[in-house]
Amino acid sequence: MRTLVHIHDLSFAPFISETTIQTRVKELAAQLDAEYAGKNPIFLAVLNGAFMFAADLFKQLTCQPELSFVKVSSYVGTQSSGRVDELIGLQTALKDRHVVIIEDILDTGVTMDKIGTLLQSEQPASLAVCALLLKPASYKGKQQPQYIGFEIDDRFVVGYGLDYKELGRELPAVYQLIN
Ligand code: 5GP
Ligand code: MG
């Protein structure tokens, strides 16, 4: 693992190694396989951050998972209510399907609550969340995520899909901001 990584104006130190991530990904895949075998699950990976986690997770899954990539977008609607959230990229009907959302990180949980609300209206048979990282100190989401790779402290991280101003996503490990 490299030592310090410099991105734009900030420096980041090694935090979770590639080996540690891959070991944990295998454990999560085993848990998911046990739960979803025979259920024809569909996994929804949230772009952009979750692309690497989703790819590694998928290489381990044996529950015959389907995969779709989605993105949350917020636009100014025609109503006076202000901004409207929508989930783009979804091409499969989710009614009565077992759905697992794959996210890179849950911080406050606001994003996941938005996605959860949008997906519940599709009436899936079940809806679970699998996130590589969770910041428990700042998380205020409506429900506790079912599958978490690592609980981390409330400090900015990059790598393994996560960016700082669009850079750093390619790093195979997770790095944490240093002062
Ligand atoms: P939330 O809505 O849970 O507060 O934030 C979720 C989104 O904020 C994540 O999907 C991610 O894009 C971004 N985010 C939160 N914490 C971090 C972090 O430590 N590093 C990076 N790169 N993004 C973060
Ligand atoms: Mg994200």
Coordinates of all heavy atoms in Angstrom, one line a residue, residues 2 33 44 59 62 83 86 101 109:
R2 N 0.5 2.2 -0.8 CA 1.3 3.4 -0.9 C 1.2 4.2 0.4 O 0.4 3.9 1.2 CB 0.7 4.3 -2.0 CG 1.3 4.0 -3.4 CD 1.0 5.0 -4.4 NE -0.4 4.8 -5.0 CZ -1.0 5.7 -5.7 NH1 -0.4 6.9 -5.9 NH2 -2.2 5.5 -6.2
D33 N -25.2 -14.4 0.0 CA -25.5 -15.6 -0.7 C -26.5 -16.5 0.2 O -27.4 -17.1 -0.3 CB -24.3 -16.4 -1.0 CG -23.6 -15.9 -2.2 OD1 -24.2 -15.3 -3.1 OD2 -22.3 -16.1 -2.3
L44 N -28.9 -3.1 -6.8 CA -28.8 -1.8 -7.5 C -27.6 -1.0 -6.9 O -27.6 -0.6 -5.7 CB -30.1 -1.0 -7.1 CG -31.4 -1.6 -7.5 CD1 -32.6 -0.7 -7.1 CD2 -31.5 -1.9 -9.0
K59 N -18.1 -10.5 -8.0 CA -17.2 -11.6 -8.4 C -17.2 -12.7 -7.4 O -16.8 -13.8 -7.6 CB -15.7 -11.1 -8.5 CG -15.5 -10.3 -9.8 CD -14.0 -9.8 -9.9 CE -13.9 -8.4 -9.5 NZ -12.6 -7.8 -9.6
T62 N -22.7 -16.0 -5.4 CA -23.1 -17.2 -6.1 C -24.6 -17.3 -6.1 O -25.2 -18.3 -6.6 CB -22.5 -18.5 -5.4 OG1 -22.9 -18.5 -4.1 CG2 -21.0 -18.5 -5.5
R83 N -37.2 21.2 -5.0 CA -36.5 20.1 -5.7 C -37.2 18.8 -5.5 O -37.8 18.4 -4.5 CB -35.1 20.1 -5.1 CG -34.3 21.4 -5.3 CD -32.8 21.2 -5.1 NE -32.2 20.5 -6.3 CZ -31.9 21.1 -7.4 NH1 -32.1 22.4 -7.6 NH2 -31.3 20.4 -8.4
E86 N -35.2 12.0 -8.1 CA -35.6 10.8 -8.9 C -34.4 9.9 -9.0 O -33.3 10.2 -8.9 CB -36.1 11.2 -10.3 CG -35.0 11.9 -11.1 CD -35.4 12.1 -12.6 OE1 -36.5 11.7 -13.0 OE2 -34.6 12.8 -13.3
I101 N -29.6 -2.6 -2.3 CA -28.9 -1.4 -2.7 C -27.5 -1.5 -2.3 O -27.2 -1.8 -1.2 CB -29.5 -0.1 -2.1 CG1 -31.1 -0.1 -2.3 CG2 -28.9 1.1 -2.6 CD1 -31.8 0.9 -1.4
G109 N -27.0 9.6 6.0 CA -28.1 8.7 5.7 C -29.2 9.3 4.8 O -30.2 8.7 4.4

